[in-house]
Amino acid sequence: MCRWIAYAGPEIYLEDLLFHQEYSIVRQSLNARESVFTTNGDGFGVAWYSKRTAPGLFKDILPAWNDTNLRSLAAQIQTRMFFAHVRASTGTAVTRTNCHPFTWKNWAFMHNGKIGDWHLCRKDMEALISPEFYPMRQGTTDSEALFLVALSLGLAQDPKKAIQDTLRHALRLMDRHKAREPLRVSLAVTNGAEIWAFRYSSDQQSPSLYAGAPTTRALEQGDHHIHTIASEPTDTDPSRWFKVAEATGLHWTPSALQDFAIAL
Amino acid sequence: MCRWIAYAGPEIYLEDLLFHQEYSIVRQSLNARESVFTTNGDGFGVAWYSKRTAPGLFKDILPAWNDTNLRSLAAQIQTRMFFAHVRASTGTAVTRTNCHPFTWKNWAFMHNGKIGDWHLCRKDMEALISPEFYPMRQGTTDSEALFLVALSLGLAQDPKKAIQDTLRHALRLMDRHKAREPLRVSLAVTNGAEIWAFRYSSDQQSPSLYAGAPTTRALEQGDHHIHTIASEPTDTDPSRWFKVAEATGLHWTPSALQDFAIAL
Amino acid sequence: MCRWIAYAGPEIYLEDLLFHQEYSIVRQSLNARESVFTTNGDGFGVAWYSKRTAPGLFKDILPAWNDTNLRSLAAQIQTRMFFAHVRASTGTAVTRTNCHPFTWKNWAFMHNGKIGDWHLCRKDMEALISPEFYPMRQGTTDSEALFLVALSLGLAQDPKKAIQDTLRHALRLMDRHKAREPLRVSLAVTNGAEIWAFRYSSDQQSPSLYAGAPTTRALEQGDHHIHTIASEPTDTDPSRWFKVAEATGLHWTPSALQDFAIAL
Amino acid sequence: MCRWIAYAGPEIYLEDLLFHQEYSIVRQSLNARESVFTTNGDGFGVAWYSKRTAPGLFKDILPAWNDTNLRSLAAQIQTRMFFAHVRASTGTAVTRTNCHPFTWKNWAFMHNGKIGDWHLCRKDMEALISPEFYPMRQGTTDSEALFLVALSLGLAQDPKKAIQDTLRHALRLMDRHKAREPLRVSLAVTNGAEIWAFRYSSDQQSPSLYAGAPTTRALEQGDHHIHTIASEPTDTDPSRWFKVAEATGLHWTPSALQDFAIAL
């Protein structure tokens, strides 16, 4: 299990959310409050959008809480959209290639959760990755596989449909291999302009997911829209966050935040 | 603050104590029970004695809990004496050179605690390192400085005296620089044959220290002597561990375990 | 391209061959003489056999030439058989999981070379890994895939046949995907008792491979048998090494070293 | 010995110089042409100036040539001034804290060369660091010590004088300790607005140093001023680079590049 945060809105420094919050994602790496794993020290990653089409990507296998590079970069990089993730491995190796987010062209993806009995389902799941995307497989996580299967199923054309189709495939393979563990998913994907987030599980125990408006430089200037989707609130003000319901997705665009039912 | 364990006795595999304990040091790296810091994920180290005079030394900056090298080495290496340490940095950098144990010839040293207001005292403390040992300074911790000052003050001739002289110097420098933080020390040093451990603080709040007889392959064969000194018990059987008192040292030899008062 | 060395014989310290040779593998990591890549700094690994059935395994992504852990371990570990490898990535990520050797139970495997146009052949090659061995896939190299396909094809029963069958599959897939790059292979595999080495390529330009008797503690005691198979000689005495011919394999047992033709 | 490059001029992407040059600094990490060490794989670092007063700082201990983070960051970060460095350790540990550049507030410093017999001179040299700057000592290199001594001697007020005073101290200490190795220095320091570079040695064999105008996005737009000072040219056009003479310094400002004699 892991923790993640997605931001989209006025340009801010990465540090506004990664560090300058009472319960920032970096603090969550050492001490998460709503996760099965309180320590998320098996690497981290940030994908941020700047002037280029493709996001920047910075990942490392050290814990986020004492990484000097992350601290310095977060103080320099300004961005209108970023994904950040701290990892607690559930069995796969601690390598940069297993750290989130995963990217392709202008797309980024991150995930907290797991495909039940991944070791049983893995071969069939990876076989669903099309020859076009197969060479992009860098690691061995179920998360990266979800992203590559979704890309193979048309993520770039219809993210909402592709992710749901992918989860349907995962459930089918879990069924085929008689997996005893549930599917639990809390994931986000972006094309650099819009964000789609999904909270779903096969046992109604999805990982926590929230949307909210924590204090940042930008928000201090009067913009109180919801710009943040995250595993857990980054502050202690409950009036500024709402919990995303089970089997529910969010679609963030510059003009609106809409929820939708996930039907698999 | 950190956690450590020292073993001396019949030859065992490193994994007997590093992994195969309910509250092993590796488990303590993720979840310590008697430490200010529950997570000790800023690197680790092991020094073990085999056929050679000098100990082997293996250190890394990754958390111990998921390190594949540590797990494999611990399953292969047999030893009659070892020191192991998991680190929670109190400000100095996360580098291998700041990981414990520190070694010199047949000697090894590790520490949990701190010299109060180290940033103020550091220059004067490092000046106490003799020209002979100064080039061995690899990192920036107060711990390594304690070891090198002790070596400069005759550790190899009289460990008990050299460590106490070193702590006296530390207290004097803290006083000179009007340090507000206390001195807190829980350390162990060995020449490969005997172990000296010290629990001391200037405010009667020394880090926890225990000696005991946890279950290992060797102990299963009928040897119930105390072979282990550690920050905290590695199992839940209170009958097999005793707590070392404030301002008290232990001297382990193959034939006896003696305690002594620390008088500074 | 990479460099590797395999040793089997009287017990020696790892450092005898890893460090104490004029052109040791660690020196080759910085300056190989018979390789396309003179620098092999993208990680390293050692698998060694001690008292346990499974070998110890130590890998890291730093260059071998300045790794303090490798130096210390090599001075402590005694072994009658080991595989060591320094890596120059030909495109796949620099992660521990992509470092050689790869192991399974009592088996170890390492490789220098490549499957031509690996990005084209990868999906089909990985599909040849049986469900039993598929969950062991930790990285993304063609080398690890060769090992897992060979295991799937009965490596543990008949190594000579399984490796050749695997190479045949690789050639067939390269053909199917119209690969323009050649297959070039210099690999070694062991069950902890015997070693099989293979030098082969589809264009008669196999990576260099030698067998020889460099000076070690053991050999100093009068044993002049050939105990070493390596990418290149570790010293400058040509009388002590012979070059393995194209399309030739070696089979080392405690009693003999036999060569055999590779016929695909 | 190491390789470095300093840039100041119109805003460019880091990758323009770090990657998109025939002999870029990243290529020099694997294959330097004018260095004692052809491989500079013991870590790297970049300090760049953006909107903030203090530079961003990104360092790692992996070789630069295959670092995915460096490649991604270099493609995102735009800057009007940066320092970049690839390291070949001459004995001190491979840690982030020993990687260049070193920074303090708006200042950055990097170095190629060495104080002769550093192990002998180190204690006296470090004693010259003032109490104000002593706690900033993070590593053990002679390079960082040069920077901190220079800061202690008024670098922020008069860089030209402070660096020369520092080198004078180094020579005096080498003399006092009867050092047999020469002093060899090729260093650069900046306050974020101007750059001072120094090429000096006690044996007239200073490390190579050049200034030039390699092709970048900015220069393509018609600006042919000299914006780059580097250990060696990053391309093969000799008309665009000049070699800095022995015992000579350079002072770059937005309006001029002046050289000056170094008189110790």
Side-chain angles (χ1 to χ4, degrees), chain A residues 93 95 97 119 122-123 126-127 129 131 134-135 137-138 140, chain C residues 93 95 97 119 122-123 126-127 129 131 134-135 137-138 140:
Chain A
T95 63
T97 49
H119 63 292
R122 180 176 160 199
K123 189 176 180 183
E126 293 185 348
I129 303 170
Y134 203 89
R137 179 74 160 151
Q138 294 277 309
T140 57
Chain C
T95 63
T97 49
H119 62 292
R122 180 176 160 198
K123 189 176 180 183
E126 294 186 347
I129 303 170
Y134 203 90
R137 179 73 159 153
Q138 294 276 309
T140 57

PDB file of all heavy atoms in Angstrom, chain A residues 93 95 97 119 122-123 126-127 129 131 134-135 137-138 140, chain C residues 93 95 97 119 122-123 126-127 129 131 134-135 137-138 140:
ATOM      1  N   ALA A  93      10.078  -5.711  -5.917  1.00  0.00           N
ATOM      2  CA  ALA A  93      11.378  -5.188  -5.523  1.00  0.00           C
ATOM      3  C   ALA A  93      11.382  -3.676  -5.358  1.00  0.00           C
ATOM      4  O   ALA A  93      10.583  -2.953  -5.967  1.00  0.00           O
ATOM      5  CB  ALA A  93      12.425  -5.578  -6.574  1.00  0.00           C
ATOM      6  N   THR A  95      12.948  -0.846  -6.516  1.00  0.00           N
ATOM      7  CA  THR A  95      13.760  -0.310  -7.602  1.00  0.00           C
ATOM      8  C   THR A  95      13.080   0.952  -8.110  1.00  0.00           C
ATOM      9  O   THR A  95      11.882   1.139  -7.899  1.00  0.00           O
ATOM     10  CB  THR A  95      13.848  -1.299  -8.784  1.00  0.00           C
ATOM     11  OG1 THR A  95      12.525  -1.499  -9.317  1.00  0.00           O
ATOM     12  CG2 THR A  95      14.416  -2.639  -8.358  1.00  0.00           C
ATOM     13  N   THR A  97      12.361   1.525 -11.052  1.00  0.00           N
ATOM     14  CA  THR A  97      11.394   1.125 -12.076  1.00  0.00           C
ATOM     15  C   THR A  97      10.078   0.650 -11.483  1.00  0.00           C
ATOM     16  O   THR A  97       9.084   0.559 -12.195  1.00  0.00           O
ATOM     17  CB  THR A  97      11.989   0.023 -12.971  1.00  0.00           C
ATOM     18  OG1 THR A  97      12.546  -1.004 -12.132  1.00  0.00           O
ATOM     19  CG2 THR A  97      13.091   0.579 -13.855  1.00  0.00           C
ATOM     20  N   HIS A 119       0.935 -12.620  -8.005  1.00  0.00           N
ATOM     21  CA  HIS A 119       1.877 -13.621  -8.530  1.00  0.00           C
ATOM     22  C   HIS A 119       1.169 -14.653  -9.409  1.00  0.00           C
ATOM     23  O   HIS A 119       1.754 -15.202 -10.325  1.00  0.00           O
ATOM     24  CB  HIS A 119       2.629 -14.297  -7.374  1.00  0.00           C
ATOM     25  CG  HIS A 119       1.739 -15.061  -6.451  1.00  0.00           C
ATOM     26  ND1 HIS A 119       0.821 -14.446  -5.623  1.00  0.00           N
ATOM     27  CD2 HIS A 119       1.600 -16.388  -6.225  1.00  0.00           C
ATOM     28  CE1 HIS A 119       0.167 -15.366  -4.925  1.00  0.00           C
ATOM     29  NE2 HIS A 119       0.617 -16.538  -5.271  1.00  0.00           N
ATOM     30  N   ARG A 122      -0.181 -12.474 -12.791  1.00  0.00           N
ATOM     31  CA  ARG A 122       0.747 -11.612 -13.504  1.00  0.00           C
ATOM     32  C   ARG A 122       0.963 -11.993 -14.963  1.00  0.00           C
ATOM     33  O   ARG A 122       0.897 -11.146 -15.841  1.00  0.00           O
ATOM     34  CB  ARG A 122       2.094 -11.613 -12.764  1.00  0.00           C
ATOM     35  CG  ARG A 122       3.123 -10.754 -13.410  1.00  0.00           C
ATOM     36  CD  ARG A 122       4.392 -10.741 -12.569  1.00  0.00           C
ATOM     37  NE  ARG A 122       5.521 -10.324 -13.371  1.00  0.00           N
ATOM     38  CZ  ARG A 122       6.794 -10.535 -13.058  1.00  0.00           C
ATOM     39  NH1 ARG A 122       7.081 -11.162 -11.928  1.00  0.00           N
ATOM     40  NH2 ARG A 122       7.757 -10.120 -13.845  1.00  0.00           N
ATOM     41  N   LYS A 123       1.227 -13.264 -15.218  1.00  0.00           N
ATOM     42  CA  LYS A 123       1.557 -13.647 -16.589  1.00  0.00           C
ATOM     43  C   LYS A 123       0.407 -13.321 -17.546  1.00  0.00           C
ATOM     44  O   LYS A 123       0.628 -12.737 -18.618  1.00  0.00           O
ATOM     45  CB  LYS A 123       1.907 -15.143 -16.663  1.00  0.00           C
ATOM     46  CG  LYS A 123       2.455 -15.516 -18.038  1.00  0.00           C
ATOM     47  CD  LYS A 123       2.916 -16.953 -18.156  1.00  0.00           C
ATOM     48  CE  LYS A 123       3.437 -17.174 -19.578  1.00  0.00           C
ATOM     49  NZ  LYS A 123       3.845 -18.554 -19.843  1.00  0.00           N
ATOM     50  N   GLU A 126       0.089  -9.451 -17.956  1.00  0.00           N
ATOM     51  CA  GLU A 126       1.119  -8.872 -18.826  1.00  0.00           C
ATOM     52  C   GLU A 126       0.889  -9.254 -20.291  1.00  0.00           C
ATOM     53  O   GLU A 126       1.249  -8.499 -21.199  1.00  0.00           O
ATOM     54  CB  GLU A 126       2.511  -9.292 -18.353  1.00  0.00           C
ATOM     55  CG  GLU A 126       2.849  -8.690 -16.989  1.00  0.00           C
ATOM     56  CD  GLU A 126       4.270  -8.959 -16.511  1.00  0.00           C
ATOM     57  OE1 GLU A 126       4.957  -9.805 -17.105  1.00  0.00           O
ATOM     58  OE2 GLU A 126       4.683  -8.330 -15.528  1.00  0.00           O
ATOM     59  N   ALA A 127       0.295 -10.410 -20.504  1.00  0.00           N
ATOM     60  CA  ALA A 127       0.021 -10.827 -21.879  1.00  0.00           C
ATOM     61  C   ALA A 127      -1.008  -9.903 -22.538  1.00  0.00           C
ATOM     62  O   ALA A 127      -1.099  -9.833 -23.767  1.00  0.00           O
ATOM     63  CB  ALA A 127      -0.470 -12.269 -21.901  1.00  0.00           C
ATOM     64  N   ILE A 129      -0.878  -6.724 -22.409  1.00  0.00           N
ATOM     65  CA  ILE A 129      -0.196  -5.511 -22.881  1.00  0.00           C
ATOM     66  C   ILE A 129       0.125  -5.699 -24.357  1.00  0.00           C
ATOM     67  O   ILE A 129       0.715  -6.702 -24.746  1.00  0.00           O
ATOM     68  CB  ILE A 129       1.098  -5.259 -22.081  1.00  0.00           C
ATOM     69  CG1 ILE A 129       0.787  -5.157 -20.581  1.00  0.00           C
ATOM     70  CG2 ILE A 129       1.794  -3.996 -22.579  1.00  0.00           C
ATOM     71  CD1 ILE A 129       2.013  -5.152 -19.684  1.00  0.00           C
ATOM     72  N   PRO A 131       1.783  -5.342 -28.123  1.00  0.00           N
ATOM     73  CA  PRO A 131       3.199  -5.268 -28.542  1.00  0.00           C
ATOM     74  C   PRO A 131       3.717  -3.832 -28.585  1.00  0.00           C
ATOM     75  O   PRO A 131       4.891  -3.599 -28.348  1.00  0.00           O
ATOM     76  CB  PRO A 131       3.178  -5.895 -29.945  1.00  0.00           C
ATOM     77  CG  PRO A 131       2.016  -6.830 -29.913  1.00  0.00           C
ATOM     78  CD  PRO A 131       0.980  -6.169 -29.039  1.00  0.00           C
ATOM     79  N   TYR A 134       4.391  -3.120 -24.803  1.00  0.00           N
ATOM     80  CA  TYR A 134       5.148  -4.109 -24.039  1.00  0.00           C
ATOM     81  C   TYR A 134       6.598  -3.695 -23.771  1.00  0.00           C
ATOM     82  O   TYR A 134       7.099  -3.878 -22.659  1.00  0.00           O
ATOM     83  CB  TYR A 134       5.089  -5.466 -24.737  1.00  0.00           C
ATOM     84  CG  TYR A 134       5.332  -6.627 -23.806  1.00  0.00           C
ATOM     85  CD1 TYR A 134       4.291  -7.232 -23.123  1.00  0.00           C
ATOM     86  CD2 TYR A 134       6.625  -7.105 -23.599  1.00  0.00           C
ATOM     87  CE1 TYR A 134       4.517  -8.295 -22.261  1.00  0.00           C
ATOM     88  CE2 TYR A 134       6.853  -8.158 -22.729  1.00  0.00           C
ATOM     89  CZ  TYR A 134       5.800  -8.754 -22.064  1.00  0.00           C
ATOM     90  OH  TYR A 134       6.038  -9.789 -21.206  1.00  0.00           O
ATOM     91  N   PRO A 135       7.306  -3.121 -24.748  1.00  0.00           N
ATOM     92  CA  PRO A 135       8.701  -2.732 -24.468  1.00  0.00           C
ATOM     93  C   PRO A 135       8.835  -1.651 -23.396  1.00  0.00           C
ATOM     94  O   PRO A 135       9.916  -1.433 -22.867  1.00  0.00           O
ATOM     95  CB  PRO A 135       9.193  -2.206 -25.828  1.00  0.00           C
ATOM     96  CG  PRO A 135       8.297  -2.842 -26.835  1.00  0.00           C
ATOM     97  CD  PRO A 135       6.958  -2.948 -26.167  1.00  0.00           C
ATOM     98  N   ARG A 137       7.434  -1.779 -20.505  1.00  0.00           N
ATOM     99  CA  ARG A 137       7.399  -2.435 -19.196  1.00  0.00           C
ATOM    100  C   ARG A 137       8.801  -2.379 -18.583  1.00  0.00           C
ATOM    101  O   ARG A 137       9.723  -3.039 -19.060  1.00  0.00           O
ATOM    102  CB  ARG A 137       6.938  -3.875 -19.384  1.00  0.00           C
ATOM    103  CG  ARG A 137       6.878  -4.717 -18.115  1.00  0.00           C
ATOM    104  CD  ARG A 137       5.716  -4.340 -17.245  1.00  0.00           C
ATOM    105  NE  ARG A 137       5.342  -5.388 -16.290  1.00  0.00           N
ATOM    106  CZ  ARG A 137       4.777  -5.131 -15.111  1.00  0.00           C
ATOM    107  NH1 ARG A 137       4.527  -3.898 -14.734  1.00  0.00           N
ATOM    108  NH2 ARG A 137       4.439  -6.114 -14.304  1.00  0.00           N
ATOM    109  N   GLN A 138       8.946  -1.598 -17.523  1.00  0.00           N
ATOM    110  CA  GLN A 138      10.256  -1.398 -16.894  1.00  0.00           C
ATOM    111  C   GLN A 138      10.396  -2.182 -15.601  1.00  0.00           C
ATOM    112  O   GLN A 138      11.494  -2.505 -15.197  1.00  0.00           O
ATOM    113  CB  GLN A 138      10.439   0.091 -16.560  1.00  0.00           C
ATOM    114  CG  GLN A 138      10.516   0.988 -17.773  1.00  0.00           C
ATOM    115  CD  GLN A 138      11.912   1.009 -18.350  1.00  0.00           C
ATOM    116  OE1 GLN A 138      12.873   1.228 -17.640  1.00  0.00           O
ATOM    117  NE2 GLN A 138      12.040   0.750 -19.633  1.00  0.00           N
ATOM    118  N   THR A 140       8.018  -4.614 -12.359  1.00  0.00           N
ATOM    119  CA  THR A 140       7.238  -5.841 -12.186  1.00  0.00           C
ATOM    120  C   THR A 140       5.970  -5.616 -11.369  1.00  0.00           C
ATOM    121  O   THR A 140       5.318  -6.585 -10.980  1.00  0.00           O
ATOM    122  CB  THR A 140       8.100  -6.903 -11.468  1.00  0.00           C
ATOM    123  OG1 THR A 140       8.549  -6.362 -10.221  1.00  0.00           O
ATOM    124  CG2 THR A 140       9.291  -7.300 -12.300  1.00  0.00           C
TER     125      THR A 140
ATOM    126  N   ALA C  93      17.154  -0.942 -17.616  1.00  0.00           N
ATOM    127  CA  ALA C  93      17.382  -0.041 -16.490  1.00  0.00           C
ATOM    128  C   ALA C  93      18.502  -0.523 -15.559  1.00  0.00           C
ATOM    129  O   ALA C  93      18.787  -1.713 -15.473  1.00  0.00           O
ATOM    130  CB  ALA C  93      16.087   0.121 -15.690  1.00  0.00           C
ATOM    131  N   THR C  95      19.086  -1.333 -12.284  1.00  0.00           N
ATOM    132  CA  THR C  95      18.444  -1.712 -11.027  1.00  0.00           C
ATOM    133  C   THR C  95      19.118  -2.980 -10.529  1.00  0.00           C
ATOM    134  O   THR C  95      19.729  -3.709 -11.312  1.00  0.00           O
ATOM    135  CB  THR C  95      16.948  -2.039 -11.223  1.00  0.00           C
ATOM    136  OG1 THR C  95      16.839  -3.178 -12.106  1.00  0.00           O
ATOM    137  CG2 THR C  95      16.195  -0.865 -11.837  1.00  0.00           C
ATOM    138  N   THR C  97      17.681  -5.577  -9.730  1.00  0.00           N
ATOM    139  CA  THR C  97      16.983  -6.724 -10.327  1.00  0.00           C
ATOM    140  C   THR C  97      17.472  -7.013 -11.745  1.00  0.00           C
ATOM    141  O   THR C  97      17.217  -8.094 -12.264  1.00  0.00           O
ATOM    142  CB  THR C  97      15.466  -6.482 -10.349  1.00  0.00           C
ATOM    143  OG1 THR C  97      15.210  -5.186 -10.899  1.00  0.00           O
ATOM    144  CG2 THR C  97      14.885  -6.555  -8.952  1.00  0.00           C
ATOM    145  N   HIS C 119      13.864  -5.609 -27.789  1.00  0.00           N
ATOM    146  CA  HIS C 119      12.567  -4.941 -27.602  1.00  0.00           C
ATOM    147  C   HIS C 119      11.487  -5.567 -28.490  1.00  0.00           C
ATOM    148  O   HIS C 119      10.319  -5.573 -28.144  1.00  0.00           O
ATOM    149  CB  HIS C 119      12.701  -3.444 -27.880  1.00  0.00           C
ATOM    150  CG  HIS C 119      13.114  -3.133 -29.280  1.00  0.00           C
ATOM    151  ND1 HIS C 119      14.367  -3.438 -29.777  1.00  0.00           N
ATOM    152  CD2 HIS C 119      12.434  -2.571 -30.309  1.00  0.00           C
ATOM    153  CE1 HIS C 119      14.444  -3.055 -31.045  1.00  0.00           C
ATOM    154  NE2 HIS C 119      13.293  -2.532 -31.383  1.00  0.00           N
ATOM    155  N   ARG C 122      10.978  -9.491 -26.939  1.00  0.00           N
ATOM    156  CA  ARG C 122      10.768  -9.682 -25.510  1.00  0.00           C
ATOM    157  C   ARG C 122       9.432 -10.332 -25.159  1.00  0.00           C
ATOM    158  O   ARG C 122       9.380 -11.265 -24.358  1.00  0.00           O
ATOM    159  CB  ARG C 122      10.893  -8.314 -24.815  1.00  0.00           C
ATOM    160  CG  ARG C 122      10.706  -8.389 -23.337  1.00  0.00           C
ATOM    161  CD  ARG C 122      10.930  -7.023 -22.716  1.00  0.00           C
ATOM    162  NE  ARG C 122      10.320  -6.964 -21.400  1.00  0.00           N
ATOM    163  CZ  ARG C 122      10.033  -5.861 -20.755  1.00  0.00           C
ATOM    164  NH1 ARG C 122      10.329  -4.690 -21.305  1.00  0.00           N
ATOM    165  NH2 ARG C 122       9.466  -5.889 -19.567  1.00  0.00           N
ATOM    166  N   LYS C 123       8.363  -9.827 -25.715  1.00  0.00           N
ATOM    167  CA  LYS C 123       7.048 -10.350 -25.299  1.00  0.00           C
ATOM    168  C   LYS C 123       6.949 -11.847 -25.579  1.00  0.00           C
ATOM    169  O   LYS C 123       6.527 -12.623 -24.714  1.00  0.00           O
ATOM    170  CB  LYS C 123       5.923  -9.591 -26.000  1.00  0.00           C
ATOM    171  CG  LYS C 123       4.563  -9.970 -25.429  1.00  0.00           C
ATOM    172  CD  LYS C 123       3.401  -9.186 -25.999  1.00  0.00           C
ATOM    173  CE  LYS C 123       2.101  -9.670 -25.330  1.00  0.00           C
ATOM    174  NZ  LYS C 123       0.900  -9.024 -25.861  1.00  0.00           N
ATOM    175  N   GLU C 126       9.279 -13.826 -23.171  1.00  0.00           N
ATOM    176  CA  GLU C 126       8.759 -13.936 -21.803  1.00  0.00           C
ATOM    177  C   GLU C 126       7.567 -14.884 -21.738  1.00  0.00           C
ATOM    178  O   GLU C 126       7.331 -15.535 -20.709  1.00  0.00           O
ATOM    179  CB  GLU C 126       8.398 -12.554 -21.263  1.00  0.00           C
ATOM    180  CG  GLU C 126       9.645 -11.685 -21.089  1.00  0.00           C
ATOM    181  CD  GLU C 126       9.389 -10.341 -20.422  1.00  0.00           C
ATOM    182  OE1 GLU C 126       8.231  -9.937 -20.299  1.00  0.00           O
ATOM    183  OE2 GLU C 126      10.374  -9.687 -20.037  1.00  0.00           O
ATOM    184  N   ALA C 127       6.828 -14.971 -22.845  1.00  0.00           N
ATOM    185  CA  ALA C 127       5.685 -15.884 -22.859  1.00  0.00           C
ATOM    186  C   ALA C 127       6.140 -17.342 -22.772  1.00  0.00           C
ATOM    187  O   ALA C 127       5.360 -18.221 -22.392  1.00  0.00           O
ATOM    188  CB  ALA C 127       4.846 -15.666 -24.116  1.00  0.00           C
ATOM    189  N   ILE C 129       8.274 -18.396 -20.678  1.00  0.00           N
ATOM    190  CA  ILE C 129       8.543 -18.732 -19.277  1.00  0.00           C
ATOM    191  C   ILE C 129       7.298 -19.409 -18.705  1.00  0.00           C
ATOM    192  O   ILE C 129       6.195 -18.889 -18.820  1.00  0.00           O
ATOM    193  CB  ILE C 129       8.883 -17.464 -18.455  1.00  0.00           C
ATOM    194  CG1 ILE C 129      10.084 -16.740 -19.081  1.00  0.00           C
ATOM    195  CG2 ILE C 129       9.153 -17.817 -17.002  1.00  0.00           C
ATOM    196  CD1 ILE C 129      10.343 -15.357 -18.502  1.00  0.00           C
ATOM    197  N   PRO C 131       4.413 -20.859 -16.120  1.00  0.00           N
ATOM    198  CA  PRO C 131       3.754 -20.237 -14.960  1.00  0.00           C
ATOM    199  C   PRO C 131       4.517 -20.489 -13.666  1.00  0.00           C
ATOM    200  O   PRO C 131       4.491 -19.652 -12.762  1.00  0.00           O
ATOM    201  CB  PRO C 131       2.378 -20.916 -14.933  1.00  0.00           C
ATOM    202  CG  PRO C 131       2.134 -21.305 -16.359  1.00  0.00           C
ATOM    203  CD  PRO C 131       3.492 -21.683 -16.918  1.00  0.00           C
ATOM    204  N   TYR C 134       7.420 -17.874 -13.921  1.00  0.00           N
ATOM    205  CA  TYR C 134       7.080 -16.502 -14.275  1.00  0.00           C
ATOM    206  C   TYR C 134       7.111 -15.532 -13.079  1.00  0.00           C
ATOM    207  O   TYR C 134       7.640 -14.423 -13.205  1.00  0.00           O
ATOM    208  CB  TYR C 134       5.725 -16.465 -14.969  1.00  0.00           C
ATOM    209  CG  TYR C 134       5.537 -15.251 -15.841  1.00  0.00           C
ATOM    210  CD1 TYR C 134       5.911 -15.271 -17.179  1.00  0.00           C
ATOM    211  CD2 TYR C 134       5.001 -14.071 -15.324  1.00  0.00           C
ATOM    212  CE1 TYR C 134       5.751 -14.151 -17.979  1.00  0.00           C
ATOM    213  CE2 TYR C 134       4.843 -12.956 -16.118  1.00  0.00           C
ATOM    214  CZ  TYR C 134       5.212 -12.997 -17.441  1.00  0.00           C
ATOM    215  OH  TYR C 134       5.059 -11.885 -18.221  1.00  0.00           O
ATOM    216  N   PRO C 135       6.596 -15.936 -11.917  1.00  0.00           N
ATOM    217  CA  PRO C 135       6.637 -14.990 -10.782  1.00  0.00           C
ATOM    218  C   PRO C 135       8.055 -14.636 -10.334  1.00  0.00           C
ATOM    219  O   PRO C 135       8.250 -13.657  -9.619  1.00  0.00           O
ATOM    220  CB  PRO C 135       5.887 -15.743  -9.666  1.00  0.00           C
ATOM    221  CG  PRO C 135       5.042 -16.746 -10.373  1.00  0.00           C
ATOM    222  CD  PRO C 135       5.838 -17.150 -11.590  1.00  0.00           C
ATOM    223  N   ARG C 137      10.388 -13.643 -12.304  1.00  0.00           N
ATOM    224  CA  ARG C 137      10.880 -12.560 -13.160  1.00  0.00           C
ATOM    225  C   ARG C 137      10.920 -11.260 -12.345  1.00  0.00           C
ATOM    226  O   ARG C 137       9.890 -10.706 -11.981  1.00  0.00           O
ATOM    227  CB  ARG C 137       9.941 -12.425 -14.358  1.00  0.00           C
ATOM    228  CG  ARG C 137      10.292 -11.306 -15.349  1.00  0.00           C
ATOM    229  CD  ARG C 137      11.505 -11.640 -16.165  1.00  0.00           C
ATOM    230  NE  ARG C 137      11.580 -10.859 -17.406  1.00  0.00           N
ATOM    231  CZ  ARG C 137      12.727 -10.573 -18.000  1.00  0.00           C
ATOM    232  NH1 ARG C 137      13.883 -10.977 -17.503  1.00  0.00           N
ATOM    233  NH2 ARG C 137      12.739  -9.884 -19.122  1.00  0.00           N
ATOM    234  N   GLN C 138      12.145 -10.786 -12.084  1.00  0.00           N
ATOM    235  CA  GLN C 138      12.313  -9.602 -11.235  1.00  0.00           C
ATOM    236  C   GLN C 138      12.659  -8.362 -12.048  1.00  0.00           C
ATOM    237  O   GLN C 138      12.412  -7.250 -11.619  1.00  0.00           O
ATOM    238  CB  GLN C 138      13.459  -9.843 -10.242  1.00  0.00           C
ATOM    239  CG  GLN C 138      13.190 -10.917  -9.229  1.00  0.00           C
ATOM    240  CD  GLN C 138      12.412 -10.401  -8.061  1.00  0.00           C
ATOM    241  OE1 GLN C 138      12.787  -9.399  -7.472  1.00  0.00           O
ATOM    242  NE2 GLN C 138      11.317 -11.028  -7.732  1.00  0.00           N
ATOM    243  N   THR C 140      14.014  -6.880 -16.296  1.00  0.00           N
ATOM    244  CA  THR C 140      13.561  -6.800 -17.684  1.00  0.00           C
ATOM    245  C   THR C 140      14.643  -7.182 -18.687  1.00  0.00           C
ATOM    246  O   THR C 140      14.476  -6.975 -19.879  1.00  0.00           O
ATOM    247  CB  THR C 140      13.105  -5.365 -17.999  1.00  0.00           C
ATOM    248  OG1 THR C 140      14.195  -4.476 -17.731  1.00  0.00           O
ATOM    249  CG2 THR C 140      11.911  -4.967 -17.173  1.00  0.00           C
TER     250      THR C 140
END
